[in-house]
Amino acid sequence: MISMRNVAKFFGPFQALADINFSVRQGERVVICGPSGSGKSTLIRCLNRLEEHDEGTITIDGIELGDDTKDIRAVRQDVGMVFQQFNLFPHLTVLENLTIGPIRVRKMGKPEAEALARTYLDRVRIPEQAEKFPSQLSGGQQQRVAIARSLCMEPRIMLFDEPTSALDPEMISEVLDVMVELADTGMTMVCVTHEMGFARRVADTMVFMEAGRIVETAPPAKFFTNPASDRARMFLDQILEH
């Protein structure tokens, strides 16, 4: 479903990604972790062309990401993304936030789009919030709306860029519970997160990054009990203490 080969990304003279080789199979759940500034968010943003890579090749579900805007649009229709910030339209109700994509991009009729939106609001366990505006919701509820909004586009792949980092601690679990349920449906997922309990529970593969490079790739059982690199061991010692 996802292939990155020899990918590099520069911001001016700064190299944010170096020699990235990374693949994700259909239905695989991959968690990317590492210290701040290691390139995790840049990597995941390259997967739907929010950032343009400078070297190497990225292929998503058979489509190579280049400069062809038609290919980029095709990939974005099949790849949902949930950000640290919720990015909801404040002037639209929850239901309108969910239906705008299916109606405008997938040319779905409004009754069908609203039925689909309500299905996914049920999935994320906030059907009663459909007519409210984002400002009337808690942070955890807003992030669940953001997940439902991505699901309304019926993506084949879901990307999560630290989706709980902007939330109060008591709201984190409600978002992670929704993500666990989504993983259980067999959705292909790539998630950047520091939530190691979630990673242990959900991930098929752990990817550890530092300084723009992938240092280690391993199944969770091996990564958490016997990481191959000293740097990953140090990272886990620090993050699991908190």
Side-chain angles (χ1 to χ4, degrees):
M1 291 291 279
I2 296 173
S3 173
M4 303 181 82
R5 292 288 171 262
N6 307 117
V7 170
K9 168 67 181 173
F10 294 85
F11 294 104
F14 174 71
Q15 186 164 9
L17 296 177
D19 195 27
I20 297 294
N21 289 281
F22 173 73
S23 61
V24 182
R25 302 182 307 275
Q26 183 172 346
E28 187 175 9
R29 288 82 57 97
V30 177
V31 170
I32 303 173
C33 63
S36 296
S38 59
K40 308 181 299 295
S41 291
T42 301
L43 186 156
I44 207 169
R45 288 171 65 87
C46 283
L47 293 179
N48 64 355
R49 202 64 168 181
L50 289 174
E51 296 289 355
E52 184 176 339
H53 61 289
D54 297 303
E55 297 175 7
T57 59
I58 300 176
T59 306
I60 309 292
D61 200 15
I63 300 175
E64 184 174 334
L65 275 178
D67 294 327
D68 190 324
T69 55
K70 182 163 63 71
D71 286 345
I72 294 170
R73 282 198 305 270
V75 164
R76 286 178 177 168
Q77 285 195 30
D78 278 340
V79 179
M81 186 156 185
V82 178
F83 301 87
Q84 298 177 38
Q85 301 298 331
F86 322 123
N87 294 344
L88 301 174
F89 294 113
H91 63 291
L92 299 181
T93 66
V94 166
L95 192 63
E96 289 167 338
N97 266 281
L98 267 59
T99 57
I100 190 170
I103 290 171
R104 291 193 179 180
V105 178
R106 295 203 179 273
K107 309 304 181 186
M108 192 179 289
K110 185 177 179 182
E112 185 184 357
E114 288 188 350
L116 185 68
R118 291 185 187 278
T119 296
Y120 284 117
L121 286 175
D122 279 335
R123 168 87 66 91
V124 301
R125 300 198 294 275
I126 48 171
E128 73 286 353
Q129 309 295 348
E131 306 304 331
K132 290 185 179 179
F133 290 91
S135 61
Q136 297 174 288
L137 306 181
S138 70
Q141 289 172 331
Q142 289 188 62
Q143 193 62 293
R144 284 189 278 166
V145 171
I147 293 171
R149 178 182 57 184
S150 287
L151 292 174
C152 280
M153 294 297 288
E154 303 197 303
R156 292 166 55 80
I157 300 166
M158 283 287 286
L159 309 176
F160 295 88
D161 185 9
E162 301 200 33
T164 60
S165 65
L167 300 178
D168 293 334
E170 64 269 20
M171 296 175 185
I172 290 174
S173 63
E174 65 185 57
V175 173
L176 292 178
D177 286 347
V178 168
M179 292 171 64
V180 168
E181 289 178 13
L182 183 60
D184 288 342
T185 69
M187 174 70 74
T188 304
M189 296 171 62
V190 181
C191 184
V192 172
T193 184
H194 289 299
E195 299 293 338
M196 294 296 101
F198 166 80
R200 277 180 158 164
R201 185 174 173 185
V202 166
D204 298 306
T205 304
M206 295 295 301
V207 173
F208 177 74
M209 294 185 68
E210 185 183 41
R213 296 180 181 271
I214 293 177
V215 176
E216 186 167 346
T217 302
K222 181 179 187 307
F223 181 75
F224 285 108
T225 58
N226 189 27
S229 63
D230 290 340
R231 187 62 189 89
R233 189 174 298 113
M234 187 186 311
F235 172 80
L236 287 171
D237 285 346
Q238 290 175 336
I239 200 165
L240 295 176
E241 283 177 4
H242 295 92

